[in-house]
């Protein structure tokens, strides 16, 4: 099932989302590529993240990887015969004991070439424990079937809001669990930590350290012709209590946070640097009090140097109406944000979204946290 002869980060056993937040996905062909390789071990690295071409199987054909961003890549693969040939994937290593994990998950949007009778592939997430002792595979879509090798140990189990019709277990030299959902989907959200906790609670793990999270496609056959498989949008995150590890799937960026509903920008009133100042909407002017930087740890900060301040949920609040303020940067989960492909900006701590209060669009409208509903007053672009 996996290559065990290749170094861990290169093979299918790559023990490889985040102390927070993933961000902005892009449709596959929509932006200029940042990396391309037809090498079997080709890889693109950015911060803690790696995208692998990963042609690890025997008798493999050709496969070329094109990366548009950490959130978006595709492969053109030509494979035939049996046995898994490759597992192109996005990978990161939280390397955190289960007791310290607070959250871990990802959203995905995939597309696959039209199928022929000889095609065989499956999109799947792999979660690995330390030392590669455990591999938990969470299937999302497949042709003609997903997983199902070894011994079937559970049926009709709901984990993280998803019904898994079958859970299989195998031992090819390490512990492999396969979770096959009742319904396959091309896009969705997986609560990876819920999966890991379930497996631990059921006594199905040899090692409970949450070491690595990957998402990609296992390709066995493309009927001998070149076919394209695309990860159009991938967002992943993880948080822990130790403060270790960080990253997000779109790297960092700086720009204005412009409201879709108002056309106005989030700013610090009057260029204040005072901790506790609530941010607001104002006509976009490009000033330093309107320029926000998304860091690799998921912080959204304004200003630089000794006056640098981070966007913060006031008082660590988790209730609707909590003010969005600036505060000295400290890396807490109330200062960590996920910028999502639907335009929402979600607090890692509370799960609430940045919101223009009262659906306001006028200058001076306060920005707060509110239950995510996807309205125009909760949609933002960083540019």
């Amino acid at each position: 099932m996996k290559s065990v002869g290749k170094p861990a980060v290169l093979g299918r056993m790559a023990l490889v989302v985040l102390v927070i937040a993933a961000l902005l996905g892009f449709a596959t062909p929509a932006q200029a590529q940042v990396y391309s390789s037809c090498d079997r071990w080709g890889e693109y690295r950015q911060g803690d993240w790696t995208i692998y071409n990963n042609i690890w199987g025997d008798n493999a054909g050709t496969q070329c990887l094109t990366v548009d961003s950490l959130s978006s890549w595709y492969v053109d693969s030509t494979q035939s015969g049996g046995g898994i040939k490759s597992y192109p994937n996005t990978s990161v290593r939280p390397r955190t004991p289960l007791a310290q994990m607070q959250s871990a998950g990802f959203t995905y949007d995939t597309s696959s070439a039209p199928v022929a009778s000889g095609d065989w592939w499956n999109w799947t997430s792999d979660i690995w424990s330390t030392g590669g002792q455990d591999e938990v595979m969470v299937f999302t879509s497949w042709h003609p079937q997903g997983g199902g090798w070894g011994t079937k140990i559970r049926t009709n189990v709901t984990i993280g809001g998803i019904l898994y019709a079958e859970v299989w277990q195998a031992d090819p030299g390490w512990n492999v669990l396969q979770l096959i959902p009742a319904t396959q989907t091309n896009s969705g959200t997986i609560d990876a930590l819920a999966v890991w906790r379930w497996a631990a609670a059921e006594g199905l793990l040899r090692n409970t350290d949450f070491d690595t999270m990957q998402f990609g496609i296992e390709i066995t056959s493309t009927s001998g012709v070149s076919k394209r498989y695309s990860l159009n949008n991938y967002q992943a995150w993880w948080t822990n209590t130790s403060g270790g590890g960080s990253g997000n799937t779109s790297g960092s960026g700086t720009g204005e946070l412009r409201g879709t509903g108002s056309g106005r920008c989030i700013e610090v009133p009057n260029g204040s640097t005072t901790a506790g100042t609530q941010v607001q909407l104002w006509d976009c002017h490009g000033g330093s009090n309107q320029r926000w930087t998304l860091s690799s740890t998921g912080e959204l900060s304004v200003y630089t140097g000794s006056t640098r301040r981070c966007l913060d949920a006031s008082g660590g609040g988790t209730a609707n109406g909590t003010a969005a303020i600036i505060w000295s940067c400290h890396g807490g989960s109330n200062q960590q944000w996920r910028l999502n492909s639907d335009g929402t900006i979600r607090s890692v701590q509370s799960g609430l979204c940045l919101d223009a209060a009262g659906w306001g669009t006028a200058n001076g409208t306060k920005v707060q946290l509110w239950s995510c509903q996807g309205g125009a007053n909760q949609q933002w672009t960083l540019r």
Side-chain angles (χ1 to χ4, degrees):
M1 186 68 174
K2 307 297 188 284
S3 167
V4 296
K6 194 70 184 170
V9 295
L10 293 179
R12 179 71 174 84
M13 279 193 67
L15 301 178
V16 262
V17 171
L18 215 51
V19 176
I20 96 163
L23 166 81
L24 296 173
F26 301 92
T28 299
Q31 65 182 79
Q33 68 185 49
V34 297
Y35 176 81
S36 180
S37 176
C38 298
D39 183 84
R40 68 180 306 172
W41 305 119
E43 60 182 62
Y44 171 74
R45 292 181 178 271
Q46 186 174 328
D48 294 329
W49 296 83
T50 305
I51 299 174
Y52 297 102
N53 199 25
N54 195 21
I55 308 171
W56 64 267
D58 294 333
N59 303 313
T62 61
Q63 179 173 288
C64 295
L65 167 70
T66 300
V67 178
D68 294 322
S69 74
L70 282 183
S71 298
S72 172
W73 54 260
Y74 61 89
V75 290
D76 294 302
S77 191
T78 305
Q79 310 297 337
S80 60
I84 297 171
K85 307 303 192 304
S86 66
Y87 179 58
N89 68 86
T90 303
S91 179
V92 73
R93 298 186 67 185
R95 289 181 279 195
T96 303
L98 178 57
Q100 296 179 10
M101 289 294 291
Q102 292 182 313
S103 70
F106 61 90
T107 62
Y108 61 92
D109 184 335
T110 62
S111 58
S112 306
V115 298
S117 60
D119 291 358
W120 195 298
W121 50 261
N122 51 261
W123 287 94
T124 178
S125 172
D126 271 12
I127 311 169
W128 293 85
S129 69
T130 300
Q133 297 179 63
D134 305 274
E135 176 189 12
V136 179
M137 304 179 67
V138 182
F139 289 78
T140 58
S141 62
W142 54 83
H143 178 82
Q145 65 188 50
W149 64 290
T151 302
K152 186 189 298 184
I153 59 172
R154 303 285 192 280
T155 58
N156 297 324
V157 177
T158 299
I159 308 169
I162 296 176
L163 174 63
Y164 294 96
E166 300 177 353
V167 179
W168 292 70
Q169 186 172 34
D171 185 358
W174 66 98
N175 177 42
V176 183
L177 300 178
Q178 306 143 70
L179 280 66
I180 305 171
T183 304
Q184 58 176 313
T185 58
N186 293 324
S187 62
T189 301
I190 301 293
D191 186 336
L193 182 55
V195 169
W196 199 250
R197 283 175 170 162
W198 175 83
E202 293 291 308
L204 298 173
L205 298 179
R206 297 173 183 173
N207 186 325
T208 61
D209 286 357
F210 193 108
D211 188 277
T212 299
M213 187 154 59
Q214 303 171 294
F215 184 81
I217 181 171
E218 289 186 328
I219 301 173
T220 295
S221 175
T222 65
S223 300
V225 298
S226 178
K227 293 192 175 181
R228 178 168 294 184
Y229 303 92
S230 303
L231 183 54
N232 303 313
N233 183 2
Y234 178 65
Q235 304 171 26
W237 60 92
W238 62 272
T239 63
N240 66 24
T241 60
S242 68
S246 63
N248 68 58
T249 51
S250 61
S252 59
T254 298
E256 299 170 330
L257 283 171
R258 187 184 295 263
T260 298
S262 65
R264 294 187 164 88
C265 288
I266 296 178
E267 73 160 27
V268 184
N270 303 313
S272 175
T273 61
T274 302
T277 301
Q278 185 171 7
V279 297
Q280 64 180 16
L281 297 182
W282 202 267
D283 293 330
C284 300
H285 53 69
S288 61
N289 64 326
Q290 290 189 350
R291 291 191 62 77
W292 298 88
T293 296
L294 176 72
S295 76
S296 63
T297 61
E299 293 173 330
L300 279 166
S301 63
V302 65
Y303 312 131
T304 59
S306 61
T307 60
R308 180 175 179 263
R309 299 289 183 266
C310 281
L311 190 67
D312 186 297
S314 180
T318 59
N320 283 342
T322 296
I325 64 171
I326 58 168
W327 199 266
S328 298
C329 301
H330 54 67
S333 59
N334 60 316
Q335 290 187 352
Q336 296 173 353
W337 308 90
R338 295 209 313 268
L339 280 69
N340 300 311
S341 60
D342 63 0
T344 59
I345 300 178
R346 186 185 297 263
S347 166
V348 168
Q349 179 192 46
S350 65
L352 302 177
C353 284
L354 283 187
D355 177 285
W359 291 79
T361 59
N363 283 338
T365 298
K366 298 300 183 184
V367 179
Q368 61 183 7
L369 276 68
W370 203 269
S371 298
C372 301
Q373 38 78 9
N377 67 320
Q378 291 187 350
Q379 295 176 352
W380 314 89
T381 56
L382 177 65
R383 61 183 184 181

